[in-house]
């Protein structure tokens, strides 16, 4: 297994390019979600499809190139990966569901408060010491989010149940913060592909259980609806989230300030 050093690694130019590519990719998430919902696809199926397709797509790579890595996995690594996948599943299940109750603007702004929660979690559980610059950046980012979230005169409604939608988006923000904090620890000992396959796969399994428990139909939707699910898995997830997970090796603390959609 490729074990990354715990010593801080100087970020190469490609790390910055990967982050830029990842941000562009995840920016499509809200669009694809709304398009899938417009086709009648349930929110929980959107979340499940996103994680399941992403896991299936990278499975051949894992089989060909990384089978030996899994023989060296420890119980601790497996446990952390499962926990990370659990919180990633919560993130997508709640955040995507929030679109049904409030407008995209409110949902996206609230879910991107995750840097605040990630910083608090790192201080509490990882005993991290935040510099004044990081604290100032968090404050500026949160204030900016609040300003953006203030509806303009043209916004007549914030949704059919804005409080519920806001609460779901906030839960999604906290869940993805936990996901990134765990990822920061795991990426010190796991290379990228085994890490994302484990976490995405665990998230998919948890979401499939919800699908079964809620008896949500997985068939009977339009071809376009399924197309948006695949697009979501390929672009915001495999390109977007995987890019951020790649960069965790170089920007462990700053990564939590990036959008997680």
């Amino acid at each position: 297994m490729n074990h990354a050093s715990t010593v801080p690694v100087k970020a190469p130019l490609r790390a910055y390019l990967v982050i830029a590519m990842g941000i562009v990719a995840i920016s499509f998430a809200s669009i694809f979600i709304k398009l899938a919902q417009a086709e009648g696809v349930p929110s929980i199926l959107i979340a499940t499809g996103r994680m399941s397709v992403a896991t299936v797509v990278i499975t051949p790579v894992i089989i060909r190139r990384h089978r030996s890595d899994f023989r060296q996995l420890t119980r601790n690594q497996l446990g952390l990966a499962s926990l990370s996948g659990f919180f990633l599943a919560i993130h997508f299940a709640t955040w995507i569901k929030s679109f049904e109750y409030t407008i995209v603007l409110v949902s996206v702004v609230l879910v991107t408060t995750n840097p605040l929660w990630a910083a608090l979690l790192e201080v509490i559980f990882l005993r991290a010491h935040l510099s004044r610059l990081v604290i100032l950046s968090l404050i500026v980012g949160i204030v900016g989010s609040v300003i953006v979230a203030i509806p303009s005169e043209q916004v007549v409604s914030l949704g059919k149940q804005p409080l519920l939608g806001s609460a779901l988006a906030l839960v999604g923000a906290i869940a993805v913060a936990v996901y990134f904090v765990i990822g920061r620890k795991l990426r010190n000992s796991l290379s990228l592909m085994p890490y994302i396959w484990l976490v995405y796969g665990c998230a998919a399994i948890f979401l499939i259980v919800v699908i079964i428990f809620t008896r949500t139909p997985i068939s009977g939707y339009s071809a376009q609806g399924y197309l948006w699910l695949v697009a979501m898995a390929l672009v915001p997830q495999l390109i977007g989230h995987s890019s951020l997970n790649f960069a965790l090796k170089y920007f462990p603390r700053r990564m939590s300030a990036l959008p997680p959609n």
Side-chain angles (χ1 to χ4, degrees):
M1 182 183 299
N2 298 326
H3 294 282
S5 173
T6 56
V7 178
V9 181
K10 184 178 180 181
L13 175 60
R14 67 170 181 163
Y16 291 95
L17 296 176
V18 167
I19 287 179
M21 178 180 65
I23 292 174
V24 171
I26 61 181
S27 298
F28 287 93
S30 302
I31 298 173
F32 293 157
I33 290 170
K34 293 300 292 183
L35 289 171
Q37 289 177 333
E39 294 296 324
V41 182
S43 296
I44 189 62
L45 182 57
I46 294 174
T48 306
R50 173 173 178 164
M51 299 313 305
S52 299
V53 172
T55 303
V56 169
V57 168
I58 61 178
T59 295
V61 178
I62 295 297
I63 293 174
R64 287 198 306 267
R65 301 181 182 179
H66 298 279
R67 282 182 296 179
S68 60
D69 291 349
F70 290 93
R71 300 190 188 103
Q72 303 176 47
L73 284 175
T74 65
R75 290 183 179 181
N76 183 57
Q77 289 172 323
L78 287 171
L80 286 175
S82 299
L83 189 62
S84 181
F86 175 72
F87 280 101
L88 185 60
I90 292 176
H91 162 66
F92 284 126
T94 55
W95 178 59
I96 294 175
K97 187 69 176 180
S98 73
F99 282 43
E100 297 181 18
Y101 302 107
T102 190
I103 60 175
V104 172
L105 176 64
V106 171
S107 177
V108 171
V109 167
L110 286 175
V111 83
T112 51
T113 61
N114 73 92
L116 171 62
W117 309 111
L120 291 175
L121 288 169
E122 289 190 358
V123 169
I124 295 172
F125 295 104
L126 301 182
R127 298 182 180 179
H129 297 282
L130 304 180
S131 67
R132 292 180 180 179
L133 180 59
V134 172
I135 294 174
L136 178 61
S137 299
L138 290 172
I139 293 173
V140 171
I142 292 169
V143 171
S145 297
V146 172
I147 293 174
V148 172
I150 297 175
S152 63
E153 295 179 357
Q154 287 76 26
V155 178
V156 178
S157 173
L158 295 179
K160 60 182 182 180
Q161 295 186 51
L163 289 179
L164 177 57
S166 297
L168 288 169
L170 195 57
V171 171
I174 296 172
V176 82
V178 177
Y179 156 72
F180 273 129
V181 170
I182 296 174
R184 171 188 166 189
K185 182 176 180 62
L186 266 179
R187 282 289 283 126
N188 283 330
S189 59
L190 279 178
S191 55
L192 179 64
M193 292 305 292
Y195 168 74
I196 63 173
W197 187 81
L198 278 172
V199 175
Y200 295 177
C202 288
I205 291 171
F206 287 125
L207 290 167
I208 289 171
V209 170
V210 176
I211 286 284
I212 295 172
F213 182 77
T214 58
R215 297 182 180 180
T216 302
I218 62 174
S219 62
Y221 307 103
S222 68
Q224 281 186 315
Y226 292 112
L227 177 63
W228 296 126
L229 294 186
V230 173
M232 205 175 310
L234 297 180
V235 182
Q237 192 61 40
L238 284 181
I239 298 177
H241 264 255
S242 299
S243 296
L244 302 190
N245 284 316
F246 166 82
L248 277 172
K249 177 180 178 180
Y250 303 101
F251 309 100
R253 290 183 182 176
R254 284 171 281 177
M255 287 309 300
S256 60
L258 294 176
N261 304 332

